Amino acid sequence: MLTYQLPERNKYYALYVALRGDISRGKLAAGEKLPSKRALAEHLGLSVITVQTAYEQLLAEGYVLSRQRRGYFVAEVNAGKATAAQYSVAPAREKEEYAYDLCSGRAPSRLFPFSVWAKLMRYTLAEEGGHLLERVPCDGDWALKVAIANYLYRFRGFAVDPRYVVLGAGAEYLYGVIVQLLGREKPYAVENPVYGRVPRTYALNGARCSLIPVGDKGADVEAAENSGACALHISPSHQYPTGAVMPADNRSRLIAWAERTGAYIIEDDYDSEFRLFGKPLQTMAGMNGERVIYLNTFSKTLAPSLRMGYMVLPPVLYARYRALYGESANVVPLFEQKTLARMLDGGYFERHVNRLKNYYRGVRALLLEKLNSLNIEKQIIETGGGLHLTVRLPDFESDNAIKEAAKARGIKIKCVSDYLLTADPRYDRIAVINYSSVDKDTLTGGKNET
Amino acid sequence: MLTYQLPERNKYYALYVALRGDISRGKLAAGEKLPSKRALAEHLGLSVITVQTAYEQLLAEGYVLSRQRRGYFVAEVNAGKATAAQYSVAPAREKEEYAYDLCSGRAPSRLFPFSVWAKLMRYTLAEEGGHLLERVPCDGDWALKVAIANYLYRFRGFAVDPRYVVLGAGAEYLYGVIVQLLGREKPYAVENPVYGRVPRTYALNGARCSLIPVGDKGADVEAAENSGACALHISPSHQYPTGAVMPADNRSRLIAWAERTGAYIIEDDYDSEFRLFGKPLQTMAGMNGERVIYLNTFSKTLAPSLRMGYMVLPPVLYARYRALYGESANVVPLFEQKTLARMLDGGYFERHVNRLKNYYRGVRALLLEKLNSLNIEKQIIETGGGLHLTVRLPDFESDNAIKEAAKARGIKIKCVSDYLLTADPRYDRIAVINYSSVDKDTLTGGKNET
C-alpha cells in the first residue's frame, strides 16, 4: 500500500502532491489501480473525505481516471514522463474513421454565414481604418459591449447594463479570469457529470474543485449548500450531458445560498441559443445580478476559430475586475470585436441562429426517426434545450457495449458516464446523442446504412 | 501592533491572508503605514523573512506599496471595499494633460503600416475564405509558427524548431500559461525594479514572486541562485527600466543554475527589435534551448490592439503544454494569425521595424540634444537597446522633485524608483526617459518650450 509521511495540516494537499509526484515520475504507472478511498484512509490514518478530496483533485487535473464501480486508475500522463531523450512531439493520435460523430460540439463549418461575415469585415476595415489599431480597454470595445447587452435583452429578456459586460478569448479564458477574481482558497463547485474542460480549466488555474451530483433537476441543491464553495458553476437551462433543466424553486434556493454565504453562481449559458422549441428559459443572472455571473460564448454559434466569449459581472466583481485588469488591453483583436458588433446590431446574428435552429430541427427529426426505428428497449430523454438528447438503453450489458455497437455501425458516441468524474450509478447505460456536428445531407444519404 | 494567531505551518501565507483581509475590509486604511518587518516579526514571534515574504506577496498583488526608506503602506484597494450600495463604476481617473509623455510604451499609432496591414487582410480574406473558420490548434496556426521561426532566425540568429513556437493573446496571457506549466509551489523570481505587470500577472495567476535585485549587469546572479525559484523571469538584452544588459558570463552562470536545479529562465525579449545601433544581442534561449523559455510580443512593434505574443518552449515543456492544452483552440483569431504570417513572410514586418528604428533614432537624437542643453548636473545612462534611457540627476532633492520639475514643463516622467517593488538606494534620483510614444513632429515643433 502507498505510504506517505504527511504533515499535521493540509493533509489532503500533501497527499495530492505526493500522489501526483509518484504519477509524474512513473512510480505509479498508467493503468495502475489506486487503493480504494477507504483502504488508503485507514492505512494512512486519514479520514475518507481527505483521501477523496485528494483523489478528486487528481481527477480534475487528469492524473487519474475514475471507472464506475471499479475505482480510481492512474491516467496516461505524458508531461511528467518526458525526458531530455524524448524530444520529439508525439504525433496526433490516429483518427478513427466514423460516418457519424455524435460527440463533437462543433457545427459543420458550411453553416457559418461566411459571406455575411466577410462583407462585414470589409465594411469594418473600410470604415474604422486606423482606429482598429487603438488599444482596447480591458473589458472590450464599448460598441460590442452595448451590442451584446442589447442582444441579451432581445433574445434572453435579460436586462444588462453594458458596463458590466466583459469580453474574453473564449469561455476557458473567462473561467481563468473568474479564478483571479474569486481567489483560490475555497473550492469551485462543478457539476458531475460535466463537460470535462470546466473542472480541468479551474484546476489549471490553480483552483480546487468540488463535485456536485446532478439529478433530473440539475445540480443537487443540498450538495451545493454543503460545498463550502466560493462559486458554483452550473448550466441551469440545459445541463451537459444530462440535459437536465433546473426548476425555478431550486434556482431560488441556490441564489439564497449564494446570498447567505457570499458565494457566486457562475451561470454557464452555453448552448441556450439552441432551445429548438419555445422561448429560452429565464436566466438566473436575471433573477439576481449581484450573486450570479452570466457567461456565454460565440464559439458555438459562430465559428470555433473565433475565440470570443463574454460574461456579465455583478457590479462588485466588475469593480474588482477593473482594479486587477484596468491597465491591461483586452485580448480579443478589435477587428473581430467591431465586426461582431455589426453582426449583432444588424440582426445578422439572430437570423443566422434562426437558420441554425431550423437546420437542427431537421437533424433532430431524422435522428429521432432513426432512433425510434431501432428494435431495442430505449427511453429517450429530451428536455427541449441544446443540441443533444440522451437515451437510456437498459438492454445493453454496459456502456462499453453501447459504444461498441454504435462503432460497428460507424457511429461515434459517448455515454453520460464518460462525463462523470466520480461514479454515479444513476447514469448507467445512457448514451449521449450530440447532433451539433451532424451534416443533415450525410444523414439522409446514409439512411440505408443504419 | 497587529496581532494575529498564526498556525504552525505556512505562516507566511497565513500572515498574508490575515493582512489582506484587514486591508480588504478597510480595517487597515489606505495610506496607513505597516509595522516594519523587524518590528512585526518580533511582535509575532516570526522570522523577518516570513514577514518579508508576506509583505512581498501583498506588494506584488497591489495591496501595499513600498516607499523607499519609509517602509510599507496600505494601498488604495477598490474591490474589497465595494459594497452593495456602491454599485456605480468608478469614473476613469482624470487624465492630466502633458505635452510629452515619457512613460508610455505605446508607439504613435500613425507609425503603424495600416495600408499594408489592410491590404494583407483583404488578401487573407479573399484567399483563405471559409478556411478562416477552422479551429486553430492550441499552439497556433502552423503557417504563423513557421513564419515566426524563420523571422527569429533571420533577425535574431536564433534557430528555432517551429513546432515549439506557441502563440498567445499577448505577453501577460503567456505568463499565465507558464504558471500553468510550471506550477505554483515554488516562487517565480522577477527583477526589481521591473515593469509592474510582470509580478502582478504572476500574482494574479496564483504564483508567488521573489524579487531579484538588478545591478548594472542585470539581475543579480547570486540572488537568483539562492531564490529557490522554479523560474527566473528576466530581460537580459535590455532590462526595463534600468536598461542593464547582462554579460555573457552571467548568462552562463544562470543557465548553469537552471540546469542544476531544474529551474527555467524566462527570457522576456520585449523591446529587442529596437536595438537602434548594431545587431541585437544573442538570445539566452539560443545558448540553451532546454532551460530557457523565449518570449516576445508584437504588441509593441505592430499595434497594441493586436494582442499577439509568442513563446518558444523547451521541448519537454512543449510536451507538457500539449498535454494540458491539446484539446483547446488557440485564443488568437485565425484571421490575424494568417495576416501576420503574410506580413512576416513578405518582409513587410522587417521593413516596418527598420522604418521605426530610423524614426526613433531621430527622436533619440532630438531628445539627447534637449537633455544636453539642460543646465543641470546629469549622467545619461544608455546601453544601446530599447526605446528608453535613464538619467541620473544628483542635484535634485528627491525623485518627486524630478517629476515635479518635469511636470512644470509639461513632461510626464517616471523614475526608476517607481518600478521598484522594494526599496533599493542605488536607484535614487534616476529618471526614466521612455521615448516609445513620442511624436517627432511635436518634439521639433515644441522646441521653444523646453
Side-chain angles (χ1 to χ4, degrees):
Chain A
M1 181 80 78
L2 299 165
T3 303
Y4 300 113
Q5 289 293 334
L6 301 175
E8 275 310 293
R9 299 180 65 85
N10 234 337
K11 284 181 180 164
Y12 108 83
Y13 188 75
L15 177 60
Y16 148 77
V17 170
L19 286 166
R20 194 187 59 180
D22 281 354
I23 293 168
S24 297
R25 284 186 297 271
K27 206 177 135 189
L28 285 167
E32 201 168 310
K33 188 174 182 311
L34 290 183
S36 77
K37 290 176 280 196
R38 191 166 306 275
L40 187 58
E42 247 174 54
H43 177 69
L44 297 176
L46 301 170
S47 73
V48 174
I49 195 81
T50 301
V51 177
Q52 181 174 331
T53 312
Y55 277 12
E56 285 182 359
Q57 183 74 10
L58 291 167
L59 246 181
E61 297 187 10
Y63 286 96
V64 306
L65 305 167
S66 150
R67 299 226 177 88
Q68 204 171 332
R69 280 194 289 265
R70 293 178 53 208
Y72 293 84
F73 293 80
V74 176
E76 196 83 54
V77 183
N78 297 324
K81 276 193 243 154
T83 66
Q86 299 171 301
Y87 268 4
S88 68
V89 175
R93 272 171 295 177
E94 274 178 57
K95 277 195 183 155
E96 292 179 88
E97 280 305 322
Y98 288 94
Y100 307 100
D101 181 347
L102 298 179
C103 303
S104 165
R106 296 182 215 163
S109 64
R110 70 177 175 88
L111 296 180
F112 181 81
F114 184 70
S115 59
V116 171
W117 185 252
K119 183 179 77 179
L120 296 175
M121 275 183 142
R122 283 190 300 265
Y123 285 164
T124 303
L125 196 54
E127 287 173 28
E128 303 284 344
H131 291 299
L132 291 175
L133 308 176
E134 282 162 14
R135 197 179 156 86
V136 189
C138 60
D139 47 356
D141 183 55
W142 180 249
L144 180 55
K145 284 168 55 123
V146 172
I148 287 174
N150 290 341
Y151 165 73
L152 284 174
Y153 186 70
R154 287 197 307 273
F155 159 74
R156 213 64 177 90
F158 173 27
V160 173
D161 184 330
R163 280 185 297 185
Y164 305 131
V165 175
V166 171
L167 275 297
E172 289 159 62
Y173 174 82
L174 292 171
Y175 302 162
V177 172
I178 291 173
V179 172
Q180 302 189 344
L181 293 177
L182 304 184
R184 296 174 179 83
E185 276 151 57
K186 291 183 180 179
Y188 286 71
V190 300
E191 296 167 317
N192 182 43
V194 71
Y195 193 54
R197 246 173 252 172
V198 175
R200 204 157 59 228
T201 305
Y202 284 114
L204 271 175
N205 281 284
R208 272 182 300 146
C209 287
S210 65
L211 304 179
I212 307 295
V214 172
D216 53 5
K217 293 177 174 179
D220 187 89
V221 175
E222 266 179 47
E225 286 170 343
N226 296 325
S227 66
C230 66
L232 169 65
H233 188 124
I234 51 177
S235 291
S237 294
H238 186 238
Q239 207 271 337
Y240 194 85
T242 66
V245 176
M246 186 179 283
D249 181 43
N250 288 20
R251 295 176 184 218
S252 305
R253 286 171 60 201
L254 284 177
I255 287 175
W257 160 75
E259 284 177 335
R260 215 163 49 236
T261 62
Y264 288 92
I265 289 162
I266 300 160
E267 180 176 22
D268 198 334
D269 210 26
Y270 178 79
D271 231 17
S272 64
E273 293 82 4
F274 296 110
R275 201 167 164 78
L276 299 185
F277 304 95
K279 283 261 168 208
L281 303 167
Q282 200 205 346
T283 61
M284 286 181 76
M287 293 167 71
N288 185 321
E290 296 175 32
R291 306 293 346 152
V292 183
I293 300 168
Y294 178 88
L295 197 146
N296 207 337
T297 163
F298 292 101
S299 304
K300 184 151 185 181
T301 38
L302 286 172
S305 72
L306 195 75
R307 301 307 291 170
M308 210 165 340
Y310 61 94
M311 54 184 178
V312 184
L313 289 176
V316 169
L317 286 186
Y318 181 76
R320 195 178 302 169
Y321 172 80
R322 286 290 296 264
L324 291 178
Y325 287 87
E327 293 182 34
S328 302
N330 190 269
V331 292
V332 182
L334 187 53
F335 188 61
E336 269 74 11
Q337 296 196 35
K338 291 282 191 200
T339 307
L340 180 57
R342 277 169 195 265
M343 185 145 186
L344 289 166
D345 288 339
Y348 302 102
F349 180 73
E350 275 145 291
R351 279 204 287 284
H352 166 61
V353 168
N354 282 334
R355 254 196 308 269
L356 282 182
K357 282 168 74 172
N358 265 328
Y359 173 86
Y360 283 122
R361 277 192 205 101
V363 172
R364 175 183 164 277
L366 282 168
L367 270 177
L368 283 174
E369 197 184 294
K370 279 179 199 284
L371 266 173
N372 283 319
S373 71
L374 292 178
N375 188 19
I376 43 169
E377 174 74 18
K378 61 191 166 291
Q379 182 195 349
I380 297 173
I381 309 157
E382 215 204 0
T383 52
L387 298 181
H388 83 278
L389 43 88
T390 56
V391 190
R392 190 182 290 276
L393 296 163
D395 284 357
F396 281 84
E397 206 170 276
S398 67
D399 287 354
N400 269 338
I402 294 173
K403 288 184 273 188
E404 285 303 321
K407 190 176 174 182
R409 285 156 174 261
I411 301 170
K412 187 176 179 189
I413 215 168
K414 281 187 179 175
C415 289
V416 173
S417 61
D418 291 315
Y419 297 93
L420 281 169
L421 292 165
T422 53
D424 186 333
R426 287 180 292 182
Y427 293 112
D428 203 17
R429 284 167 290 178
I430 302 181
V432 180
I433 314 279
N434 184 335
Y435 49 93
S436 305
S437 75
V438 170
D439 194 316
K440 201 160 65 178
D441 296 350
T442 330
L443 208 59
T444 358
K447 207 165 185 174
N448 305 330
E449 282 175 58
T450 47
Chain B
M1 179 78 80
L2 298 166
T3 303
Y4 299 114
Q5 290 293 335
L6 300 175
E8 276 309 293
R9 299 179 67 84
N10 235 337
K11 284 180 182 166
Y12 108 83
Y13 189 75
L15 178 60
Y16 149 76
V17 169
L19 287 166
R20 194 187 59 180
D22 281 354
I23 294 169
S24 297
R25 283 185 297 272
K27 207 177 134 188
L28 286 167
E32 202 168 309
K33 189 176 182 310
L34 291 184
S36 77
K37 289 176 282 194
R38 189 166 307 278
L40 188 58
E42 247 172 50
H43 177 68
L44 297 176
L46 300 171
S47 72
V48 174
I49 194 82
T50 301
V51 177
Q52 179 175 331
T53 312
Y55 278 13
E56 286 184 356
Q57 183 73 10
L58 292 167
L59 245 183
E61 297 187 12
Y63 286 96
V64 307
L65 304 166
S66 151
R67 299 223 179 89
Q68 204 170 336
R69 281 193 289 267
R70 295 180 51 212
Y72 293 85
F73 294 80
V74 176
E76 195 83 53
V77 182
N78 297 322
K81 275 194 242 154
T83 67
Q86 298 171 301
Y87 268 4
S88 69
V89 176
R93 272 171 294 176
E94 272 177 61
K95 278 194 184 156
E96 293 179 89
E97 279 305 321
Y98 288 96
Y100 307 99
D101 181 348
L102 298 181
C103 303
S104 166
R106 297 182 214 162
S109 63
R110 70 177 175 88
L111 296 180
F112 181 81
F114 184 71
S115 60
V116 170
W117 185 252
K119 181 179 80 178
L120 296 176
M121 275 185 143
R122 284 191 299 267
Y123 285 164
T124 304
L125 197 53
E127 288 173 27
E128 303 284 343
H131 291 301
L132 292 174
L133 308 175
E134 282 163 14
R135 196 180 158 86
V136 189
C138 60
D139 47 354
D141 183 56
W142 180 249
L144 180 54
K145 285 168 54 124
V146 172
I148 287 174
N150 289 342
Y151 165 72
L152 285 173
Y153 185 69
R154 287 197 306 274
F155 159 75
R156 214 66 176 88
F158 173 27
V160 173
D161 183 330
R163 281 184 297 185
Y164 305 129
V165 175
V166 172
L167 275 296
E172 290 160 60
Y173 173 83
L174 292 172
Y175 302 163
V177 172
I178 290 173
V179 172
Q180 301 190 346
L181 293 177
L182 304 185
R184 297 172 178 84
E185 275 151 60
K186 292 184 182 178
Y188 287 70
V190 300
E191 296 167 317
N192 181 45
V194 72
Y195 193 53
R197 245 172 255 172
V198 175
R200 206 158 58 231
T201 305
Y202 284 114
L204 272 175
N205 282 285
R208 272 182 300 147
C209 287
S210 64
L211 304 180
I212 307 295
V214 172
D216 54 4
K217 293 179 173 179
D220 186 272
V221 175
E222 266 178 48
E225 286 170 342
N226 296 325
S227 65
C230 66
L232 169 65
H233 187 125
I234 49 176
S235 291
S237 294
H238 185 240
Q239 208 271 337
Y240 195 85
T242 66
V245 176
M246 185 178 284
D249 180 42
N250 288 20
R251 296 178 183 219
S252 305
R253 283 170 61 202
L254 284 177
I255 288 176
W257 160 76
E259 284 177 335
R260 211 161 54 234
T261 63
Y264 288 92
I265 290 163
I266 301 161
E267 180 176 26
D268 198 334
D269 210 27
Y270 178 81
D271 231 15
S272 64
E273 293 81 4
F274 296 111
R275 199 167 167 80
L276 299 184
F277 304 96
K279 282 264 168 206
L281 304 166
Q282 199 204 349
T283 61
M284 284 180 77
M287 293 167 71
N288 184 322
E290 295 175 34
R291 306 297 340 156
V292 184
I293 299 169
Y294 178 89
L295 197 145
N296 207 336
T297 163
F298 292 100
S299 305
K300 185 152 187 181
T301 37
L302 286 171
S305 72
L306 195 75
R307 302 306 291 169
M308 212 165 340
Y310 60 93
M311 54 185 177
V312 184
L313 290 176
V316 169
L317 286 185
Y318 181 77
R320 195 179 300 171
Y321 172 81
R322 286 290 296 263
L324 291 178
Y325 287 86
E327 293 183 33
S328 303
N330 190 269
V331 292
V332 181
L334 187 54
F335 187 61
E336 269 74 9
Q337 296 197 34
K338 291 283 190 199
T339 308
L340 180 57
R342 277 169 195 266
M343 185 146 185
L344 290 166
D345 288 338
Y348 302 102
F349 180 75
E350 273 146 292
R351 279 203 288 282
H352 166 61
V353 168
N354 281 335
R355 253 194 310 269
L356 282 181
K357 282 169 74 173
N358 264 329
Y359 172 87
Y360 283 120
R361 279 193 204 100
V363 171
R364 175 181 165 279
L366 282 167
L367 269 177
L368 283 174
E369 197 184 295
K370 278 177 199 285
L371 266 172
N372 284 320
S373 71
L374 292 178
N375 189 19
I376 44 170
E377 173 74 19
K378 60 191 168 289
Q379 180 195 349
I380 297 174
I381 309 156
E382 216 205 358
T383 51
L387 297 182
H388 84 278
L389 43 88
T390 57
V391 189
R392 189 182 291 274
L393 296 163
D395 283 356
F396 281 84
E397 206 170 275
S398 67
D399 287 353
N400 268 338
I402 294 174
K403 288 183 273 189
E404 285 303 319
K407 191 177 172 182
R409 287 158 173 256
I411 302 170
K412 188 175 179 189
I413 214 168
K414 283 188 177 175
C415 289
V416 173
S417 61
D418 292 314
Y419 297 92
L420 281 169
L421 293 166
T422 53
D424 186 333
R426 285 179 294 181
Y427 294 112
D428 203 17
R429 285 169 287 179
I430 302 181
V432 179
I433 314 279
N434 183 335
Y435 49 94
S436 305
S437 75
V438 171
D439 193 316
K440 201 161 65 180
D441 296 350
T442 329
L443 208 61
T444 358
K447 206 163 185 175
N448 306 329
E449 282 174 56
T450 49

